[in-house]
Amino acid sequence: AVVSTQSTGGDSLYPWGNEELYEGAHQANIWQGQFPKENTLEDGYKTTSPVGSYPPNQYQIHDLIGNVWEWVEDWWTTQHSPDGRGPPTGQEKVKKGGSFMCTKQYCYRYRCPARTKTSADTTGLNVGFRCAKSA
């Protein structure tokens, strides 16, 4: 999410700015409605959406938030080094981005600055990872 926040000035809630909708349209696959009773499907998806279903950011990166939680390289810590990296080893992995099951009422972690932890053996329909390489 570092790249995503850089594209909007570094302190935005979402890759496109600070409002959940951009120009009246959903920009990520998250839950709409009252979780877990009703998903209104305003974004068109009951569960996961195909990659690229929403516009990319200015770096042409799709789906930085919503859809599935993304494991990242870092191990969980509450203390970060000055360069923002986590420790080289640990017990729990960092995941970012939230999922199609996140909503403001239940799991408001689909924001760029948000992160949480998970055990290294966690699996689920709403957990994945992003393949990336250095430019």
Side-chain angles (χ1 to χ4, degrees), residues 40-97:
T40 62
L41 306 177
E42 290 173 31
D43 64 2
Y45 301 99
K46 184 175 182 178
T47 60
T48 58
S49 60
V51 172
S53 295
Y54 300 95
N57 70 3
Q58 72 181 38
Y59 300 102
Q60 300 305 304
I61 301 172
H62 289 268
D63 307 317
L64 286 167
I65 65 168
N67 209 29
V68 297
W69 284 100
E70 295 179 355
W71 275 16
V72 299
E73 182 178 10
D74 288 345
W75 290 96
W76 177 261
T77 183
T78 57
Q79 305 291 318
H80 288 88
S81 64
D83 66 4
R85 295 183 187 269
T89 63
Q91 298 296 312
E92 297 171 300
K93 294 297 285 182
V94 173
K95 63 181 182 176
K96 293 186 62 74

Side-chain angles (χ1 to χ4, degrees), residues 3-54:
V3 170
S4 67
T5 57
Q6 288 174 349
S7 67
T8 56
D11 59 356
S12 297
L13 292 176
Y14 310 108
W16 54 87
N18 286 318
E19 300 298 323
E20 195 166 289
L21 301 180
Y22 180 73
E23 296 182 355
H26 290 281
Q27 302 297 303
N29 182 11
I30 58 172
W31 190 279
Q32 292 88 44
Q34 190 64 36
F35 186 86
K37 297 176 184 177
E38 177 193 25
N39 185 347
T40 62
L41 306 177
E42 290 173 31
D43 64 2
Y45 301 99
K46 184 175 182 178
T47 60
T48 58
S49 60
V51 172
S53 295
Y54 300 95

Side-chain angles (χ1 to χ4, degrees), residues 91-110:
Q91 298 296 312
E92 297 171 300
K93 294 297 285 182
V94 173
K95 63 181 182 176
K96 293 186 62 74
S99 80
F100 66 88
M101 295 171 64
C102 290
T103 179
K104 281 186 181 179
Q105 296 84 28
Y106 173 64
C107 165
Y108 191 41
R109 289 206 170 102
Y110 53 91

